[in-house]
Amino acid sequence: MELARLLRKGDISAREITESVFGRIGEREETINAFITTTREIAFKQAKEADARFRQGGDIPLLTGIPVAVKDLLCTKGIKTTCGSKILENFVPTYNATAVKNVLDAGAVLVGKTNMDEFGMGSSTENSIMGPTKNPLDPKRVAGGSSGGSAAAVSSAESILALGTDTGGSIRQPSAFCGVTGIKPTYGRVSRYGLISYASSLDQIGAIGKTVEDCAMMLDVICGHDPLDTTSANVAKPDFKAAIKEDLEGIRIGIPEEFFSEGLDSRIKEKVLTAIGLMEKNGARVVPINLPHSPYAVSTYYLIATAEASSNLARYDGVKYGFRNGVDMADCMEMYEKTRTEGFGMEVKRRIMLGTYVLSAGYYDAYYLKAQKARTLIKEDFDEAFKTVDCIMTPVSPCLPFTLGEKMTDPLQMYLVDIYTVSLNLAGLPGMSLPCGTVDDLPVGLQIVGNHFDEEMVLRVGAAYERIAFSNRNHNHGI
Ligand code: GLN
């Protein structure tokens, strides 16, 4: 990353970078609404510490002095963590999520906590008690979701990097909508300790930046085994930054037919296929594949995610955390009911009800168990595909960033936006969204999917594409 290099040469200070980021927040935030909380004082203090380290010299972690925004679903010690919900409006955690701790230990500057769909439930960041985040590239449009605040903050230069979470696409889809790069690592690669759970078997923390290198830098810091999370994988952490230097020679790219058919905006299809064609010209080999159970991914996801959510969100009862409605403790049931009725937004309540229903006796076998079986089949499709390919490429979203309010009255339309992203969470696979062109000045995202724990391949292919696409653009348009 250019900024890390400039900091080391002394050409720029962490204070100056922090000033620029807060300058942008001053100019843009009223329109964009990327943040729920900004942490200006903390940021300048951290920047000062970073500059002191640079003056001392020696071996300094790459993230030192770099501004990072954190999704408001990751616990930050002493800083409000709301999940975009009234029920956690005044919740101040007593500890940092492991990913946050790692980023801060590496010397990063915390810009603030970013806006999101309540508890991560949504695809547009319109389900936030703080109001929607707008797309910096066209404020009449949504930023995507649920990590819309994180993607918008990076896109508008209100931050340099951001942490997001991805349960069914929430890093990749907003990255695509805001024209930035975002990666969801393999399930288990990053500790979920301190991530406020939505659907625990699907949730994963990841990185958003302008480039693949930015994401690799962040992954180097946040990945790794953590005894505080029992699902954290005890596997060796590769040097992600090293992976991005290699080219595309001999790489086999799988193109799943099911991801390019009905429902996909033809202009998006063309951009994605053009990007893949460019990679083919530069040494990669395209292999048509099938992921036959993909048509079941959205329904499978919405059964499993809501089932897990209904259980995870049972803890918000007005007793243990945040908001409480009703002081008459003589009637606890009434207090629970009032608290949850008023504390949760519409979409969260819809999902709790759906999840409770699919787990209830009599419906469990027909819905939840069936969904678990479908999940296995979806994963097996990918296992089979990865026997013959090194990575898989698809669009991120079937549509361009839509206008605010456009899909709010029809939840099913909103759920369908996740059609190309949810399979990866169901299968636990890593995936990245990176910009591959524009349609009517709106960005299009290319999704690169890797095998389990093969983020290196995803990053390598993504970085190689960036190099080719940029040199191509320079060549063609002289930019
Ligand atoms: N849009 C999906 C949902 O609403 C995914 C959200 C996410 O990844 N957190 O569940």
Side-chain angles (χ1 to χ4, degrees), residues 278-446:
L278 195 57
M279 289 184 254
E280 200 178 10
K281 275 201 206 92
N282 283 271
R285 195 150 65 77
V286 168
V287 184
I289 57 165
N290 283 101
L291 296 167
H293 295 94
S294 320
Y296 306 106
V298 171
S299 30
T300 304
Y301 169 81
Y302 276 95
L303 292 174
I304 293 177
T306 54
E308 293 186 19
S310 72
S311 161
N312 275 324
L313 271 58
R315 74 191 69 173
Y316 305 105
D317 55 8
V319 177
K320 300 186 272 299
Y321 302 92
F323 175 73
R324 170 186 298 168
N325 189 357
V327 279
D328 182 7
M329 293 299 286
D331 188 348
C332 270
M333 289 311 282
E334 194 188 321
M335 190 275 288
Y336 295 154
E337 200 181 308
K338 277 190 178 163
T339 297
R340 290 168 68 80
T341 309
E342 214 185 291
F344 290 133
M346 271 298 292
E347 184 59 28
V348 173
K349 282 189 267 198
R350 179 181 295 124
R351 295 191 187 202
I352 293 174
M353 284 191 282
L354 182 61
T356 308
Y357 181 81
V358 305
L359 286 175
S360 58
Y363 294 105
Y364 182 95
D365 287 3
Y367 295 112
Y368 183 71
L369 192 65
K370 187 86 140 289
Q372 289 292 16
K373 288 179 179 166
R375 180 179 191 170
T376 302
L377 294 172
I378 289 166
K379 178 187 170 290
E380 285 172 358
D381 282 353
F382 280 102
D383 291 344
E384 195 54 37
F386 278 115
K387 286 183 186 158
T388 54
V389 299
D390 302 300
C391 65
I392 295 172
M393 293 195 192
T394 77
V396 177
S397 161
C399 59
L400 293 166
F402 41 92
T403 50
L404 289 151
E406 192 179 321
K407 294 188 195 284
M408 281 303 271
T409 48
D410 188 347
L412 287 181
Q413 281 302 317
M414 190 72 95
Y415 298 170
L416 281 173
V417 174
D418 305 332
I419 188 162
Y420 303 135
T421 49
V422 292
S423 313
L424 279 67
N425 302 75
L426 290 167
L429 297 166
M432 180 163 71
S433 166
L434 77 164
C436 71
T438 55
V439 169
D440 294 343
D441 291 332
L442 295 169
V444 174
L446 164 75

Side-chain angles (χ1 to χ4, degrees), residues 71 120-123 145-146 165-170 198 301-302 351 418:
K71 188 177 185 179
M121 298 177 189
S123 311
S146 65
T165 66
D166 191 312
T167 305
S170 281
Y198 159 16
Y301 169 81
Y302 276 95
R351 295 191 187 202
D418 305 332

Side-chain angles (χ1 to χ4, degrees), residues 10-23:
D11 287 354
I12 197 169
S13 67
R15 186 180 49 78
E16 284 167 321
I17 301 174
T18 308
E19 270 165 5
S20 125
V21 159
F22 277 94

